[in-house]
Amino acid sequence: MISIIFIGSLLGLSAGIAPGPLLMLVISETLQHDIKAGIKVALVPLLTDLPIIMLALFLSTTLTELNYILGSISIVGGCFILYLAYNNLCIEAVELDEQEIKNPGSLIKGMLANVLSPHPYLFWLTVGAPIVSKTMNNNFFIALLFILSFYFCLIGSKITLAILAGKSKSFLAGAPYIYTMKFLGIILCFFAIMLFYDGLVLLS
């Protein structure tokens, strides 16, 4: 159970602080308006991700007997996690476009940014749903803990960054943020290797 919570927390934290459309909107809303506006955008995944999760779980459970498909999905998931790890390791600082900061944002804009981003779909189809469906066969409660820990860290980290950005605009260019991203990148590499291994086992 602890390992599932750790994996969910790790993936959620990494996704939460990684630069992307939603995080940029969280920061721009915070800088343009206030911390409360940034927090509203940070909560967007709670409003948009449920259909994605349900679809991914449906596909994952219907493919339980097709090991070669699950193996391929696991390998694709490993590639996606490796891509995220690479981005983390290469990051130097988050550069905010001044023009983007001046543009008005809203909760609807945040929802559109998240729905139109490929990351939630890629994550849940290739990483999240296989973990949940596999765990759910043994213990539904533990599978639920994975989802809760993922979103707690995903949203919590975005809220934290909104607060930090609101108090110090230079935080995203500072060493603590950069080193945290690089550390998470290293851990994600190990997790990608695990997914590659699982995929090869299913394909063999």
Side-chain angles (χ1 to χ4, degrees):
M1 182 175 71
I2 295 177
S3 61
I4 285 294
I5 295 175
F6 173 75
I7 292 173
S9 301
L10 167 66
L11 293 173
L13 179 61
S14 180
I17 67 176
L22 191 61
L23 180 60
M24 293 300 99
L25 190 58
V26 168
I27 295 169
S28 65
E29 283 289 282
T30 300
L31 297 179
Q32 183 187 1
H33 302 294
D34 53 23
I35 293 175
K36 184 183 293 186
I39 291 176
K40 287 181 180 179
V41 180
L43 295 173
V44 158
L46 292 178
L47 304 175
T48 60
D49 283 13
L50 182 59
I52 300 173
I53 296 173
M54 298 302 292
L55 174 63
L57 284 175
F58 172 76
L59 292 175
S60 181
T61 53
T62 55
L63 298 176
T64 51
E65 301 301 324
L66 303 177
N67 285 349
Y68 65 94
I69 294 181
L70 290 177
S72 300
I73 290 175
S74 184
I75 290 176
V76 172
C79 292
F80 177 61
I81 294 298
L82 201 59
Y83 164 76
L84 296 179
Y86 173 79
N87 286 341
N88 281 18
L89 292 171
C90 291
I91 192 170
E92 296 300 332
V94 176
E95 296 182 1
L96 294 173
D97 187 346
E98 292 296 328
Q99 182 64 35
E100 183 178 6
I101 295 174
K102 293 176 183 177
N103 288 336
S106 66
L107 189 61
I108 297 298
K109 188 175 181 181
M111 292 174 68
L112 287 174
N114 200 49
V115 168
L116 297 177
S117 171
H119 286 184
Y121 302 93
L122 283 172
F123 172 79
W124 281 108
L125 285 171
T126 63
V127 181
I131 292 176
V132 172
S133 60
K134 181 179 179 180
T135 308
M136 198 160 47
N137 291 332
N138 299 321
N139 192 316
F140 175 80
F141 177 70
I142 295 179
L144 183 61
L145 283 179
F146 170 81
I147 297 175
L148 292 176
S149 62
F150 174 81
Y151 278 102
F152 177 81
C153 289
L154 172 72
I155 295 172
S157 59
K158 289 189 185 300
I159 290 175
T160 301
L161 287 178
I163 295 172
L164 291 172
K167 295 182 179 297
S168 174
K169 296 182 180 180
S170 63
F171 170 75
L172 294 173
Y177 175 76
I178 295 172
Y179 287 139
T180 299
M181 289 293 293
K182 291 182 182 294
F183 174 71
L184 289 172
I186 294 172
I187 298 179
L188 285 176
C189 285
F190 287 104
F191 187 69
I193 292 172
M194 291 171 56
L195 287 176
F196 286 137
Y197 175 78
D198 289 342
L200 291 174
V201 169
L202 289 169
L203 290 173
S204 61

